[in-house]
């Protein structure tokens, strides 16, 4: 589900996650320029098997799985961390999208009072939701299901409408969340 | 000044930054296990020039400069970001250690109410200090000097003593800072 923005070729990667990621990157850039928040995508972790010390060139390496979430940063002093997920399903969001070590990480962030969430896009329905980490953990603990139904998102989550600028104003929801708490 | 912990060889890299980094990693692990904070070192950004799509193996890539600081995370809900720097000098800390885009990034973090600092170790003196981003920016704006003298650290900064566990309890200073504000 990750778009390797650091790959310097014109190859097509099947566009997995590309549109949502580009919406988020554009939004984060808007937040940065307008001094609203500083939020970055973390570099993709890479395991290096061989490095040529004369040229400092990496000649053998592979991608590692991120054990945390992809984006983090600061909004009004608060710690923000989230992941962006796309699904082609029209009915539910498969939990196989989230690894066990990421679940543990979400717990750790919440226990330390950080703000943690997923931005989930149902590509075929053109709908994007913000799912708070707390709700995700509660769902996983309560339910045996291997996916979260669309109806859950409609009932429990705020949807994020696409706009011209910023593209995907997810911090509007976070602002409300912080004011309520 | 960075130790590439993801390199899977036994080669010696001149030990640049290794001891301080290992102290910090140990400390962060202590914070994580004891549910005090969640702070990670960001992956080293890598520019990929060639990826073999059949094997998913990276065969040509090189390290990029981090445009942000190396560590970030959450402590009591607040956003924390910092860098670890070692110097062999006995008299001053050279500002060439910090890139212009990192200075800009420190400004952005502070403007968004994040907590930003450097952990600076004078290796030959066996002394480690915590330099707040605000003080760093003030020094750069006021002074023409290309290095920060040791006397500045002694007068203006808190020193961090090495302990058994946690090795380098820098959050003690951050806690006091948060209580004063």
């Amino acid at each position: 589900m990750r778009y390797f923005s650091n790959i310097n070729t014109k190859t097509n990667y099947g566009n997995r996650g590309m549109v949502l990621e580009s919406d988020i990157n554009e939004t984060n850039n808007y937040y940065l320029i307008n001094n609203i928040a500083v939020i970055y995508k973390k570099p993709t972790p890479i395991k290096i098997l061989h490095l040529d010390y004369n040229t400092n060139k990496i000649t053998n390496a592979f991608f590692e799985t991120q054990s945390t979430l992809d984006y983090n940063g600061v909004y009004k002093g608060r710690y923000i961390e989230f992941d962006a997920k796309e699904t082609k399903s029209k009915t539910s969001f498969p939990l196989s999208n989230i690894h066990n070590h990421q679940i543990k990480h979400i717990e750790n962030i919440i226990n330390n009072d950080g703000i943690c969430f997923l931005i989930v896009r149902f590509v075929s329905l053109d709908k994007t939701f913000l799912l708070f980490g707390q709700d995700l953990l509660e769902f996983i603990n309560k339910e045996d299901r291997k996916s979260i139904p669309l109806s859950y998102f409609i009932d429990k989550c705020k949807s994020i409408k696409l706009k011209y600028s910023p593209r995907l104003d997810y911090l509007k929801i976070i602002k409300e969340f912080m004011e309520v708490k």
Side-chain angles (χ1 to χ4, degrees), chain A:
Chain A
M1 196 57 70
R2 184 174 303 136
Y3 164 51
F4 299 110
S5 57
N6 52 348
I7 297 179
N8 189 22
T9 74
K10 285 181 180 164
T11 320
N12 186 309
Y13 314 103
N15 281 353
R16 294 200 308 155
M18 280 183 74
V19 180
L20 178 56
E21 288 226 359
S22 115
D23 288 344
I24 290 172
N25 291 342
E26 236 180 278
T27 304
N28 288 345
N29 197 37
Y30 174 94
Y31 290 150
L32 183 68
I33 289 167
N34 292 284
N35 212 30
I36 293 166
V38 184
I39 294 163
Y40 281 101
K41 185 168 190 294
K42 297 176 195 166
T44 307
I46 286 165
K47 182 83 180 171
I48 296 166
L49 297 177
H50 189 260
L51 172 67
D52 180 328
Y53 285 96
N54 294 320
T55 59
N56 224 13
K57 192 170 116 172
I58 299 158
T59 54
N60 189 359
F62 58 87
F63 296 113
E64 286 191 305
T65 314
Q66 192 85 270
S67 58
T68 62
L69 307 187
D70 275 351
Y71 297 85
N72 70 357
V74 58
Y75 174 55
K76 295 180 187 293
R78 294 292 299 277
Y79 181 82
I80 302 282
E81 178 158 348
F82 67 96
D83 224 339
K85 302 283 190 189
E86 287 189 348
T87 179
K88 284 175 183 160
S89 165
K90 290 178 183 173
T91 54
S92 67
F93 171 67
L95 287 169
S96 56
N97 267 310
I98 309 158
H99 303 287
N100 281 337
H101 46 253
Q102 288 180 318
I103 301 287
K104 182 64 194 148
H105 181 69
I106 292 169
E107 276 176 13
N108 289 338
I109 296 295
I110 292 171
N111 286 340
N112 286 279
D113 224 9
I115 296 169
C116 197
F117 53 93
L118 301 182
I119 293 177
V120 177
R121 177 170 290 173
F122 289 80
V123 183
S124 323
L125 305 172
D126 212 7
K127 283 201 179 301
T128 309
F129 297 96
L130 191 147
L131 171 65
F132 277 105
Q134 287 87 338
D135 293 333
L136 173 67
L137 297 179
E138 197 189 81
F139 185 94
I140 290 170
N141 288 332
K142 276 193 183 166
E143 307 275 344
D144 270 340
R145 299 187 57 150
K146 282 180 181 152
S147 65
I148 306 178
L150 175 65
S151 58
Y152 178 93
F153 285 93
I154 293 170
D155 291 347
K156 279 272 206 170
C157 303
K158 298 263 182 186
S159 79
I160 318 173
K161 301 267 179 299
L162 272 183
K163 293 195 298 181
Y164 178 69
S165 181
R167 285 292 286 162
L168 204 65
D169 192 8
Y170 59 88
L171 286 182
K172 196 181 158 196
I173 299 171
I174 302 307
K175 189 166 181 271
E176 287 165 14
F177 175 80
M178 281 165 58
E179 282 164 358
V180 171
K181 280 197 91 178

